[in-house]
Amino acid sequence: MTSEQPPETGQHEAIQSYGDKLYRQVPPGYKDNFHIYHRHYRECFTDEGKNLIYIYILKNASSSTRKYLPCKPNGHPIHADYERRFDAPQFHKMCIWRNPADRLVSSYMELRKLRHDFPSDRTLELGYLSYSSVEESFERFLDSIDDNLYDPHLFPQVVSLYDKGLVVEDVDLLLFDTLGPDLKRYNREHTLGWDLSQAFHANAAPSEDKNRLKNLLRTTSHLSQQVRDLYPEDTEIYNRLKKEKLG
């Protein structure tokens, strides 16, 4: 992976667009740069028969949503590097947007799994999993990523757009909080033909630890501010979208 060359456009533009966070730099002592040019930030799911491009974001119900898309013979959804041909007017682009605080909790829970297809050794090096209390572990986690969003699960949601040369106005945003009704509306408006007869659940029942951490962020002002400081654009977009949809 270290020999992979950066793309000509998009990736570096995203760095400049988002400011000085080090989410594009190799962490100290971590030599594999796959998380800088990870496939999740190059790819999108496609249904070209319906002129649909689904720009998915990690921890934003992508596993639940992509089951409605056409699949290859092996059962996996059709995905491709995002290409300029998808900028043609006939393509509509869909993306799901989530509360950054809830997404960060979900990402923390994912990183605890120490998956080998992501930089799990870096997670161990940072040491936040060594605390017995999930609340203390999460606080140390927040401190450790303050200047280094080292894993793709931690990248700002806007990066998934910026890396493809897109801005928010280019994309149809669906709110994670109301995803079931939003998908039904989107399915109807764009005649996608998805079978949404079964109730849609973006998440399985939250774990006890996840509920405790969400409550921690709701009740601890300096921690919730820390999340807003990490994800200012994501937060602004989420608040605006929530106000538009829920009042």
Side-chain angles (χ1 to χ4, degrees):
M1 298 296 296
T2 54
S3 62
E4 184 174 349
Q5 294 301 309
E8 293 296 324
T9 61
Q11 302 275 10
H12 294 296
E13 292 169 7
I15 300 172
Q16 298 304 318
S17 299
Y18 200 74
D20 60 358
K21 293 297 179 186
L22 302 183
Y23 58 87
R24 283 299 186 228
Q25 295 191 21
V26 179
Y30 189 77
K31 296 181 171 54
D32 187 349
N33 70 353
F34 84 93
H35 62 288
I36 302 177
Y37 303 114
H38 196 276
R39 61 182 177 83
H40 285 292
Y41 290 86
R42 298 196 307 267
E43 292 181 350
C44 58
F45 290 121
T46 67
D47 183 348
E48 296 196 49
K50 299 292 184 179
N51 292 326
L52 174 68
I53 306 302
Y54 171 36
I55 297 174
Y56 64 102
I57 299 174
L58 292 171
K59 307 313 298 178
N60 283 19
S62 60
S63 296
S64 299
T65 304
R66 66 192 184 197
K67 67 185 179 184
Y68 299 115
L69 301 174
C71 291
K72 296 180 286 188
N74 62 6
H76 294 295
I78 297 169
H79 58 272
D81 279 5
Y82 186 85
E83 300 172 7
R84 291 299 176 187
R85 64 190 175 92
F86 293 142
D87 287 338
Q90 73 267 25
F91 286 108
H92 42 272
K93 305 173 185 68
M94 183 187 82
C95 184
I96 297 166
W97 212 261
R98 189 175 186 181
N99 181 335
D102 290 349
R103 179 174 178 261
L104 187 60
V105 169
S106 185
S107 295
Y108 164 81
M109 299 298 292
E110 188 72 28
L111 293 175
R112 285 174 55 174
K113 298 176 184 177
L114 297 176
R115 289 173 50 179
H116 294 301
D117 52 338
F118 289 98
S120 56
D121 53 348
R122 182 58 178 159
T123 296
L124 291 172
E125 288 172 15
L126 291 172
Y128 57 81
L129 296 184
S130 62
Y131 295 86
S132 58
S133 161
V134 68
E135 289 88 354
E136 188 173 6
S137 172
F138 185 76
E139 290 190 47
R140 300 288 78 76
F141 162 71
L142 270 178
D143 290 340
S144 71
I145 65 172
D146 182 60
D147 62 352
N148 188 2
L149 304 180
Y150 69 95
D151 183 283
H153 290 90
L154 305 175
F155 291 176
Q157 295 171 76
V158 290
V159 173
S160 290
L161 304 183
Y162 292 164
D163 276 7
K164 298 173 181 66
L166 298 169
V167 294
V168 170
E169 290 74 18
D170 296 326
V171 180
D172 299 320
L173 294 182
L174 278 61
L175 184 64
F176 184 96
D177 304 18
T178 57
L179 190 51
D182 276 8
L183 276 177
K184 289 181 179 179
R185 173 188 54 78
Y186 202 78
N187 182 42
R188 182 175 62 253
E189 290 177 352
H190 295 283
T191 59
L192 298 175
W194 292 348
D195 180 7
L196 299 175
S197 57
Q198 299 297 317
F200 183 89
H201 299 288
N203 266 334
S207 68
E208 180 182 349
D209 282 352
K210 187 177 290 187
N211 283 332
R212 286 166 61 184
L213 293 178
K214 287 182 178 181
N215 184 62
L216 178 70
L217 288 176
R218 282 194 298 268
T219 58
T220 313
S221 58
H222 76 275
L223 295 180
S224 58
Q225 184 60 53
Q226 201 168 347
V227 175
R228 289 193 293 272
D229 290 342
L230 279 171
Y231 302 109
E233 286 186 82
D234 288 2
T235 300
E236 187 277 326
I237 293 166
Y238 171 76
N239 288 337
R240 173 165 51 83
L241 192 62
K242 184 177 179 181
K243 184 176 181 180
E244 291 172 359
K245 292 181 177 291
L246 301 178

